[in-house]
Every structure is written in C-alpha cells, then in structure tokens.
C-alpha cells in the first residue's frame, strides 16, 4: 500500500472557518478559533495521521489588504507558506456572498495554481439551506479554475473525511514526516500564548483584537510539586485605555480570562497549571519593527 505525506494549507478571508476546519480534520484543538477575525498569527500545523497518509495542515493568517506593518508581515507569512505546500484549500463561507476580498485572494492564488493544486472549499454549510450551498459553489467557479470543489461543515462533520481524501490524493508518495501521536510541531509555549490570547479576545469590544499580543515569559514545572506547571505570561495592549478593558472592574475580566485560558492550557499540557497573568502597555507595537520582533512577529 502506498503511503503519502505532505503539506496542505487553508487560505481565505479572515473568519472563513480555516482554524475550525483544521481542528475538525485533526480531531483536536490545535489552531485557536475565535469569533473575532484575524486571530491566527502563527502558521500552526495540525497533523492528520492515517494508515495511508500523513497530512500536515499549515494554518495561515487570513490574507487581507494590510494597513499596518503587522498586517504586511502577516501577508508575507501567507505567501511564503503557499509556496511551500503541496495543496491549497481556498475557504469561502457558505453564508456570505463571494466578495472583493475573495477575488483578491483568488488573483493571488492563480499565480501558484499552475504548480500547486487549489481546492475550492465552501465552509459552514450547516448555516444555510442546500440550494444556497449550490449557489455558492457556482459563484466560486466564476472566481478561478479550481482543481476540485467541495462543500463541508466542520461543525456537524459534513464531508470532513471526504475533504481529507481530496487533500491526501494531491500529496506526493513518501514516509511519515512526524511521529505518531504528534498533533502539531508548534512549541508548547506558542500554543499556550495563543490560548491565552484566544481567551482574552472573547467578549472584548471590536477595537481590541489586533492590539493584543501575548508572550509566555516562563513555563516551568513547580519544584517539589509533582504535576504542576507554573506559567508566567504577559498580555500586551497598545494603549492604557485598552488595559482597562482587559482588566475590567476591579480586575474581574482578567480573572475570567485567566481561568478560561488555564482550563484550555491544562487540557493541552495534561497537567495542573498555575497561570500568572499580567497586562502591559506597549505603545503602538503594531507599527514598531523593534517591538514586533520582540513579540515574535
């Protein structure tokens, strides 16, 4: 039996359901998902293990017209990723009209489509009626020439396995790239920082998402306590007013963020966690190359 292995990535406008789809395929929470667009900052890889294949999913930030230096860096990450994968899934949600943002991405993808197969993926089919899905598939066909088109729903599992088959079929023959049981090759600290950021984004007013960055300063097993890990993390915002939003009344909001993040981190690490979380202001960090570097961009 031949074994295939290689890399796939999902692209699409922010909030097109790329991270949720990655998690559905891998069967575990590796890419952060949030109702806020622009939450994925790192190319987090999820790994799908099958008897006949190993599919490594690279989850890129949403491509958008950049307004800041951070925006530009994120777009560069996307393009660099596209040039290195074996197959690309272009995600368009079933419940939104195909728009200029999608056409902008399709124009970019057309440049690589000769070398790399691009699969059109209509996501979130659970939100609309079947005829709407059919209409969306037709609309997508007008946008570019896809190697294949497939509707899926990560929420109810509709055609998730079929999508995996379609992606695997495009991979080259080859051995496993990662050991069995690995779900991602991101360092744990990166994942922990992402989980904290995800918790911080929940229920925050719309002006905040881009302004939040998290660094994990230290992550160590507590001396003399089996099965307890101390995590010290800093949550950065750009302005003192934003610090107030994150802290909430008498620090209540930050406590909620901390306990929510801690639950997810404990699930990720499989151990009890003590999370020490502080908020700092890094003035206009999105526009400052030095601060961007320090925060890992």
């Amino acid at each position: 039996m031949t074994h295939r292995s290689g890399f796939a990535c999902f692209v699409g406008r922010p909030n097109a359901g790329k991270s949720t789809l990655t998690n559905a395929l891998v069967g575990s929470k590796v890419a952060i998902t949030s109702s806020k667009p622009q939450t994925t900052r790192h190319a987090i890889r999820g790994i799908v293990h099958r008897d006949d294949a190993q599919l490594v999913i690279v989850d890129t930030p949403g491509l958008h017209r950049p307004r800041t230096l951070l925006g530009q860096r994120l777009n560069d990450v996307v393009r660099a990723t596209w040039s290195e994968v074996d197959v690309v899934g272009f995600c368009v949600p079933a419940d939104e009209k195909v728009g200029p943002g999608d056409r902008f991405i399709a124009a970019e993808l057309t440049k690589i489509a000769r070398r790399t197969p691009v699969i059109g993926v209509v996501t979130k089919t659970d939100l609309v009626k079947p005829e709407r899905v059919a209409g969306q598939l037709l609309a997508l066909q007008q946008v570019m020439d896809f190697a294949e088109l497939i509707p899926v729903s990560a929420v109810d599992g509709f055609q998730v396995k079929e999508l995996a088959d379609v992606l695997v079929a495009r991979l080259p023959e080859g051995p496993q790239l990662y050991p069995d049981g690995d779900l991602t090759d991101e360092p744990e600290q990166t994942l922990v920082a992402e989980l904290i950021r995800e918790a911080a984004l929940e229920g925050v007013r719309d002006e905040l998402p881009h302004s939040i960055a998290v660094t994990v300063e230290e992550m160590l097993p507590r001396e003399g306590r089996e099965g307890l890990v101390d995590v010290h993390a800093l949550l950065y915002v750009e302005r003192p007013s934003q610090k107030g939003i994150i802290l909430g009344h008498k620090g209540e909001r930050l406590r909620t963020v901390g306990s929510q993040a801690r639950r997810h981190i404990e699930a990720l690490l499989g151990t009890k966690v003590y999370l020490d979380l502080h908020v700092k202001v890094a003035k206009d960090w999105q526009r400052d190359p030095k601060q961007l570097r320090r925060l890992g961009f």
Side-chain angles (χ1 to χ4, degrees):
M1 171 168 119
T2 58
H3 186 277
R4 296 180 181 277
S5 59
F7 295 83
C9 77
F10 293 126
V11 300
R13 280 182 295 137
N15 234 4
K18 303 179 291 288
S19 295
T20 312
L21 198 51
T22 299
N23 292 336
L25 283 159
V26 176
S28 164
K29 188 167 179 161
V30 291
I32 73 162
T33 51
S34 154
S35 53
K36 295 271 182 289
Q38 272 315 109
T39 48
T40 307
R41 294 263 174 93
H42 293 277
I44 289 183
R45 297 160 175 77
I47 304 168
V48 182
H49 298 274
R50 305 193 346 176
D51 292 339
D52 63 336
Q54 194 175 61
L55 171 69
V56 184
I57 302 166
V58 186
D59 187 40
T60 60
L63 190 73
H64 59 297
R65 290 201 165 83
R67 288 190 301 277
T68 60
L69 183 60
L70 172 66
Q72 258 167 303
R73 295 254 168 113
L74 293 179
N75 279 356
D76 293 344
V77 171
V78 178
R79 291 199 186 87
T81 306
W82 292 1
S83 60
E84 292 159 12
V85 298
D86 301 295
V87 56
V88 174
F90 176 23
C91 298
V92 176
D95 63 334
E96 290 174 39
K97 272 195 148 45
V98 172
D102 299 307
R103 286 192 262 281
F104 171 67
I105 294 169
E108 295 283 323
L109 280 173
T110 304
K111 299 171 191 169
I112 64 153
R114 281 193 306 281
R115 290 193 315 278
T116 311
V118 179
I119 311 292
V121 185
V122 173
T123 59
K124 309 187 184 185
T125 59
D126 54 291
L127 298 179
V128 298
K129 292 195 161 70
E131 48 272 23
R132 181 85 191 266
V133 175
Q136 194 71 322
L137 288 166
L138 284 171
L140 251 193
Q141 269 178 327
Q142 310 304 310
V143 173
M144 69 174 280
D145 202 3
F146 290 101
E148 223 161 316
L149 280 169
I150 182 166
V152 301
S153 164
V155 172
D156 59 19
F158 173 66
Q159 298 225 103
V160 170
K161 192 191 164 309
E162 285 74 6
L163 175 62
D165 292 342
V166 165
L167 295 171
V168 163
R170 308 281 170 179
L171 302 181
E173 286 183 19
Q176 278 198 338
L177 302 166
Y178 293 93
D180 272 339
D182 277 13
L183 293 175
T184 172
D185 74 349
E186 278 292 305
E188 279 176 341
Q189 265 169 284
T190 307
L191 290 173
V192 166
E194 290 285 270
L195 288 170
I196 294 169
R197 208 162 67 89
E198 179 179 25
L201 286 175
E202 281 314 308
V204 171
R205 293 212 300 280
D206 290 338
E207 67 269 24
L208 260 180
H210 295 281
S211 307
I212 295 179
V214 176
T215 58
V216 172
E217 302 296 301
E218 205 174 50
M219 196 160 104
L220 295 166
R222 168 119 22 127
E223 277 190 31
R225 278 281 307 272
E226 252 323 82
L228 179 67
V229 172
D230 285 319
V231 177
H232 299 278
L234 293 174
L235 222 155
Y236 290 91
V237 291
E238 294 193 295
R239 292 189 293 283
S241 62
Q242 296 173 334
K243 184 174 178 175
I245 296 175
I246 292 282
L247 286 170
H249 182 59
K250 292 187 174 163
E252 213 152 283
R253 187 151 162 29
L254 186 65
R255 276 196 294 281
T256 309
V257 168
S259 63
Q260 205 178 337
R262 195 186 67 242
R263 278 204 316 278
H264 288 306
I265 296 166
E266 289 180 338
L268 173 78
L269 301 178
T271 169
K272 282 264 171 269
V273 167
Y274 168 76
L275 177 58
D276 176 46
L277 195 52
H278 294 275
V279 184
K280 283 183 89 158
V281 178
K283 204 169 151 359
D284 292 334
W285 64 263
Q286 293 192 64
R287 291 180 163 73
D288 176 349
K290 215 159 70 223
Q291 298 204 68
L292 277 174
R293 267 201 308 282
R294 201 184 71 231
L295 296 174
F297 299 110

